[in-house]
Amino acid sequence: MMSKNIEDRVDDPKEKEEKNNQEKGNQKNSISPSHLKGNNNGKRHAGETSDPSFLIQQIGRDISIQCLLQLSRSDYGSIAALNTSFRSLIRSGELYQLRRKMEIIEHWVYFGCEVFKWEAFDPNRGRWMQLPKIICDECFMLSDKESLAIGTELLVFGKEIMAPKIYKYSILTNTWSVGNMLNTPRCLFASASYGGIGILAGGCDMRGNILRSAELYNSDTRKWETLPNMNKARKMCSGVFMDGKFYAVGGIAADKITQLTCGEEFDMTTKTWREIPNMFLIQNEVLETPTSFGSPPLIAVVKNVLYAADYSRREVKKYVKGNNSWVTIGGFPAQANSMNGWGLAFRACGDKLIFLGGHNLHGRGMLEINAWVPDENAPQWNRLATKESRSFVHNCTVMGC
């Protein structure tokens, strides 16, 4: 009797209809590959897949990417670990290309205080990170090196036993590899990056000859392009981008004695150089001898304004474009120490000027980062972070992507 009642309940037309509707609803709300089709009449976007692990299935690829663009790049490592589709997207560099177009940029500081170790600092989260070790010979690690961040790559220039070499760190894969060599190998050059390109100018070759030549690196093609020569040869000079143009400032002339106060401006459109007299002031009142030259000029650009750190007076100065002069705006952070400018980094980090340097505290080396957002007032330095480390900064560059 009970069995008959159950059969009657199942066969009831109304109950069957309710059951069918419920099953259809469950199918509609379930996660399946068909939802990757979105609202495009059953057609998938180029690059989409029926793999159910592909990005965020319920909202589609395009909206998924828009969500990822709004996240900090600090989160991209964790996102890449979710599945192969996320990892492939992040490692392809597509997200960073889109961020550049949308002007979504985060600036991280990359530096080396120890010859076998590179580190990074995220000022947005106050986070220190250690990069993988470069697999190279000891000669490269102990040689004089230059560094420059271009696009999503950190380039480190140095010399191995037999020849110059460039090692390249990619934030997409968190790995080092050998980079493409310059057309004219050099050291002690001026350099700066602007989006996905970087320019190197001057320096000296492997025989010690001081150079006028310059090159441009495109991080998308990973190729070096030879540019026209500067008006003057110079080494131990510094480079910046300002108003969309590249500037090489200061340095030592071809006679290896004269300290240059002029700068040179490279126009990206016309591919020409223009010399600017007295663009940089020699920092010591008494000219230094060739054996005691200080560091290359400590200069940085924030919002198309050029600043310099005068290590001899521990003053920060601002460049006045209208009359080609400098004005003192304030002093250094208390713990920003150097040896004639060496061991101290002065950089632009987004809308901030930063000092990266160190001091000894109770016999321990301490590394400190101080920042200031330039305004019309004297600098008020804000300590972003401190850590125990070697206090001498050998190399430092800022990556914006």
Side-chain angles (χ1 to χ4, degrees):
M1 189 72 180
M2 186 175 291
S3 172
K4 185 175 185 301
N5 289 338
I6 292 174
E7 288 175 2
D8 289 344
R9 200 160 45 236
V10 170
D11 292 335
D12 184 80
K14 289 185 179 180
E15 290 192 9
K16 280 188 176 183
E17 184 179 358
E18 290 176 0
K19 183 177 180 182
N20 290 336
N21 289 339
Q22 184 178 2
E23 289 176 351
K24 289 179 182 178
N26 289 338
Q27 290 175 1
K28 183 178 179 181
N29 292 327
S30 66
I31 298 174
S32 67
S34 64
H35 282 75
L36 294 173
K37 298 177 182 179
N39 297 319
N40 199 27
N41 296 323
K43 297 180 181 178
R44 288 192 290 268
H45 291 290
E48 288 193 341
T49 175
S50 59
D51 182 356
S53 68
F54 190 82
L55 301 185
I56 306 171
Q57 304 150 42
Q58 294 92 331
I59 62 176
R61 184 177 192 274
D62 292 342
I63 298 178
S64 297
I65 289 177
Q66 291 300 317
C67 293
L68 294 176
L69 291 175
Q70 305 305 318
L71 295 177
S72 167
R73 65 184 180 99
S74 291
D75 299 318
Y76 284 179
S78 300
I79 292 169
L82 291 176
N83 57 51
T84 56
S85 297
F86 277 115
R87 182 162 59 252
S88 176
L89 175 66
I90 290 171
R91 288 188 173 185
S92 72
E94 180 182 355
L95 284 179
Y96 289 98
Q97 292 174 351
L98 291 172
R99 284 165 68 98
R100 191 189 307 166
K101 290 179 181 178
M102 298 175 64
E103 298 184 352
I104 301 173
I105 300 173
E106 290 177 74
H107 295 85
W108 289 11
V109 184
Y110 291 79
F111 62 95
C113 292
E114 300 180 25
V115 293
F116 290 100
K117 185 169 74 173
W118 274 85
E119 298 179 72
F121 177 72
D122 175 5
N124 304 301
R125 297 191 174 182
R127 179 183 172 208
W128 303 94
M129 293 156 282
Q130 187 168 324
L131 275 57
K133 184 178 178 180
I134 304 177
I135 305 302
C136 62
D137 67 24
E138 190 169 328
C139 181
F140 181 88
M141 296 309 299
L142 297 176
S143 68
D144 291 330
K145 293 184 288 296
E146 311 284 340
S147 61
L148 182 63
I150 309 173
T152 57
E153 299 172 343
L154 165 63
L155 304 184
V156 180
F157 305 80
K159 185 178 184 297
E160 293 196 332
I161 295 175
M162 302 302 296
K165 202 147 192 180
I166 300 173
Y167 282 93
K168 176 181 67 177
Y169 170 76
S170 169
I171 68 170
L172 304 180
T173 60
N174 191 36
T175 58
W176 290 94
S177 60
V178 176
N180 294 333
M181 183 48 60
L182 296 160
N183 296 316
T184 304
R186 66 190 73 211
C187 61
L188 301 175
F189 47 78
S191 65
S193 61
Y194 185 74
I197 66 165
I199 291 180
L200 276 59
C204 57
D205 63 18
M206 299 305 105
R207 296 182 178 180
N209 300 310
I210 299 179
L211 304 171
R212 296 169 53 212
S213 60
E215 301 188 37
L216 181 147
Y217 180 74
N218 186 319
S219 64
D220 292 331
T221 63
R222 297 182 173 86
K223 293 181 179 179
W224 292 97
E225 171 193 346
T226 299
L227 298 177
N229 288 342
M230 293 187 291
N231 294 288
K232 281 187 168 61
R234 60 182 76 212
K235 72 171 184 177
M236 291 180 65
C237 41
S238 295
V240 291
F241 270 93
M242 181 168 58
D243 298 319
K245 299 176 181 179
F246 174 80
Y247 291 82
V249 178
I252 300 171
D255 62 9
K256 302 182 181 180
I257 298 174
T258 305
Q259 289 185 265
L260 297 170
T261 59
C262 63
E264 296 208 31
E265 172 194 88
F266 181 70
D267 189 310
M268 300 283 291
T269 303
T270 63
K271 304 287 186 183
T272 56
W273 291 94
R274 178 176 70 93
E275 186 175 330
I276 306 174
N278 302 317
M279 190 179 180
F280 188 73
L281 301 176
I282 295 175
Q283 302 209 3
N284 289 340
E285 294 179 359
V286 178
L287 293 182
E288 297 165 305
T289 63
T291 58
S292 65
F293 282 136
S295 71
L298 302 176
I299 57 175
V301 169
V302 172
K303 295 182 179 178
N304 288 316
V305 177
L306 176 62
Y307 298 87
D310 184 340
Y311 59 82
S312 65
R313 296 181 176 84
R314 294 181 58 83
E315 293 176 343
V316 178
K317 298 180 178 180
K318 181 170 71 172
Y319 181 64
V320 182
K321 301 174 187 176
N323 57 13
N324 191 31
S325 65
W326 290 87
V327 294
T328 300
I329 59 174
F332 279 25
Q335 304 297 347
N337 301 320
S338 72
M339 299 173 59
N340 286 340
W342 299 106
L344 177 68
F346 178 67
R347 296 285 185 268
C349 186
D351 64 348
K352 304 178 185 69
L353 286 173
I354 64 165
F355 275 97
L356 176 65
H359 59 285
N360 288 317
L361 181 65
H362 307 305
R364 296 182 302 169
M366 302 299 295
L367 185 68
E368 189 169 292
I369 298 183
N370 287 276
W372 171 59
V373 179
D375 54 26
E376 298 304 318
N377 302 312
Q380 298 293 322
W381 297 102
N382 175 36
R383 184 185 302 162
L384 297 183
T386 303
K387 66 175 292 191
E388 188 171 343
S389 176
R390 283 195 55 176
S391 58
F392 196 92
V393 180
H394 293 281
N395 294 99
C396 179
T397 186
V398 175
M399 183 186 296
C401 60

